[in-house]
Amino acid sequence: MNTQNKNTFLGTGWNFPIEFNTHTKDVTMVSNAECIAQNIRMLLSTRQGERPMFPEYGHQLYLMVFETMDQTLIYRIKEHLHFIFMIYEPRITIEDIIIDSKEEHENVILIDLHYLIRETNTRTNLVFPYYLIEK
């Protein structure tokens, strides 16, 4: 393991996608805010039920793909995202979620997530493209 990551207080985990350091023969690790951002991307990239050993992990956005995009659906998406982040990423507080589903983004919903890292009181955001049709 990489010794420089032992003193991180927000957490340390494997880099995603998984990489190996050719010099040390260890898995490349990420820490702190980058670890949180990668966990958010991982959570948004995982459908609920995909992981056999952890079937509750992930989202259920794929169940809403064929519904009409209106204010009710946007509200349901936001509530679902608030719920999964409350459970699977307790290091952050969601401040705002902006759902962009304009026609110029054909078959894509842009999820603009504004969050606060609780331990450091750092505000940041992450834009995640959720593809309605996989490429």
Side-chain angles (χ1 to χ4, degrees), residues 56-120:
E56 299 85 24
Y57 183 82
H59 65 80
Q60 293 182 351
L61 296 178
Y62 59 94
L63 297 175
M64 304 174 200
V65 166
F66 295 108
E67 295 185 31
T68 303
M69 184 59 71
D70 57 6
Q71 290 303 314
T72 303
L73 182 61
I74 289 172
Y75 176 79
R76 286 179 46 217
I77 290 171
K78 288 180 179 183
E79 286 301 304
H80 179 64
L81 293 174
H82 275 285
F83 178 73
I84 64 171
F85 287 118
M86 180 180 65
I87 292 174
Y88 297 112
E89 190 47 84
R91 298 174 288 183
I92 65 171
T93 299
I94 301 297
E95 293 190 325
D96 194 16
I97 299 174
I98 300 167
I99 305 295
D100 183 1
S101 62
K102 295 181 181 140
E103 291 181 15
E104 65 258 17
H105 308 299
E106 188 176 342
N107 297 321
V108 178
I109 296 173
L110 296 178
I111 300 169
D112 189 358
L113 180 68
H114 297 259
Y115 60 94
L116 173 77
I117 300 174
R118 293 178 180 179
E119 201 65 33
T120 61

Side-chain angles (χ1 to χ4, degrees), residues 14-84:
W14 288 13
N15 185 49
F16 183 79
I18 298 170
E19 297 176 346
F20 292 94
N21 185 323
T22 56
H23 299 298
T24 63
K25 309 291 190 243
D26 285 334
V27 175
T28 304
M29 306 295 275
V30 292
S31 299
N32 298 327
E34 182 58 27
C35 183
I36 292 171
Q38 286 194 8
N39 191 45
I40 291 170
R41 284 187 208 100
M42 180 76 67
L43 183 57
L44 291 172
S45 298
T46 305
R47 291 180 176 196
Q48 196 172 51
E50 266 186 35
R51 296 185 176 190
M53 301 303 284
F54 196 14
E56 299 85 24
Y57 183 82
H59 65 80
Q60 293 182 351
L61 296 178
Y62 59 94
L63 297 175
M64 304 174 200
V65 166
F66 295 108
E67 295 185 31
T68 303
M69 184 59 71
D70 57 6
Q71 290 303 314
T72 303
L73 182 61
I74 289 172
Y75 176 79
R76 286 179 46 217
I77 290 171
K78 288 180 179 183
E79 286 301 304
H80 179 64
L81 293 174
H82 275 285
F83 178 73
I84 64 171

